[in-house]
Amino acid sequence: MQTLTGRHGRGGPLVRILLTGGAGFIGRHVHHQLVADGHDIVVLDSLRPDVHHHRPQLEGLVVGDIRDPEAVDHALSGVDAVIHLAAKVGLGVDLDDMDDYVSSNSLGTAVLLRAMGRHQVQKLVYASSMVVYGEGRYECDRHGVVAPGPRRIEDLDRGRFEPPCPICSDPLRPGLVDETAPTDPRNTYAATKLNGEHLAAAWARETGGRVAAMRFHNVYGPGMPRNTPYAGVAALFRSALDRGEAPRVFEDGRQRRDFVHVRDIASAVGAAAGALDESPPFAAYNVGSGTVRTIGDLAEELASAYGGPSPVVTGDYRLGDVRHITASSARLREAFSWKPDYDLATGIADLLRGGDLLRGGDDRR
């Protein structure tokens, strides 16, 4: 990792980094990484009850809402850079969640950026998501690269899960998206994550700041949220296996994803934070393992590792889910000399061990 410099031109590691959402799943791993890198960390987290069942023991924790200007001002005192992870996550349960997503994510990011301008903090790593792309990259034999529209309910009801070519309706070949691909958010969470990128880019232009927007893929690992409607698919499968039940796989299980271990996410965030001085004013980076797997693969790997019942493919679906989304992380690797340390097998083994960082902690969030 390159050396960070303070906002007053001091050499050496940053005196202080504000980590929003630092008490959450990804945040605690990022906190561990930053402390190991020698930084002084302030954590701002609201500890919202739908995420946190217990108050975590975390040094430097300030309890406050990212939408509260007073709390944000207090947390930014003396800070040299911000890593912004705080967000309401997940696809969303229903439309009743829409205003909470927009308030927590879009408004929260705007309050933070405004305060950063006042405090003259000009370095930001922003946690975005691969969901900003909508569907992944597809090619048609007759029409080349195409962008399929949202899948139709009548097709999903009939088990026709693959999106067809929007021009000729022929089958498509899925591929990898890069950061130049058009964005097409298809649920409320995705829309707020992309809105946060736009707000951060506008802030960078107006202040001369620098932003690295990290588009995380499907994150799993020790401490991942469980027993909540907002948990990811790996957590849902694990919770089923803990109950002695078979993981229930939606659609036909062939949905392509990139499952990335949370420690690799943390090292990528740390690497981006360490190179902001040499980075463009705004740049987005895909953060994935670089290995394409299916949701069915994940369910089978977890069931095998747990010695539990085999997955059940249900044919059910969720509106707002996309069929395939995998991306190239080449830009991140080249810009920050970063590479992941975990493949799916070693990552699941670490998950079953509980991981040294969070062993004995609150694993139910």
Side-chain angles (χ1 to χ4, degrees), residues 107-156:
L107 176 60
T109 298
V111 170
L112 174 65
L113 292 170
R114 180 186 179 202
M116 288 177 66
R118 290 197 303 271
H119 286 261
Q120 298 184 343
V121 179
Q122 294 191 306
K123 299 172 185 177
L124 174 67
V125 178
Y126 169 70
S128 187
S129 172
M130 54 85 179
V131 297
V132 301
Y133 296 115
E135 287 285 354
R137 186 179 189 273
Y138 292 88
E139 288 190 46
C140 172
D141 288 337
R142 295 166 60 185
H143 298 102
V145 176
V146 295
R151 295 183 294 171
R152 302 184 307 168
I153 292 177
E154 53 266 38
D155 289 336
L156 296 171

Side-chain angles (χ1 to χ4, degrees), residues 20-49:
T20 75
F25 164 44
I26 295 175
R28 292 173 72 187
H29 288 273
V30 171
H31 184 275
H32 183 79
Q33 177 73 52
L34 295 174
V35 170
D37 290 341
H39 305 307
D40 179 27
I41 312 303
V42 176
V43 172
L44 178 66
D45 200 297
S46 66
L47 301 183
R48 53 186 297 162

Side-chain angles (χ1 to χ4, degrees), residues 3 51 66 133 223 291 307 316 326 346 362:
T3 301
V51 177
I66 193 68
Y133 296 115
T291 303
D316 295 335
T326 55
T346 58
D362 178 11

Side-chain angles (χ1 to χ4, degrees), residues 3 14 22 25 54 170 178 193 219 241 250 319 340:
T3 301
L14 283 175
F25 164 44
H54 304 285
D170 280 357
D178 64 21
K193 286 281 96 178
V219 187
L241 289 163
F250 279 14
L319 284 177

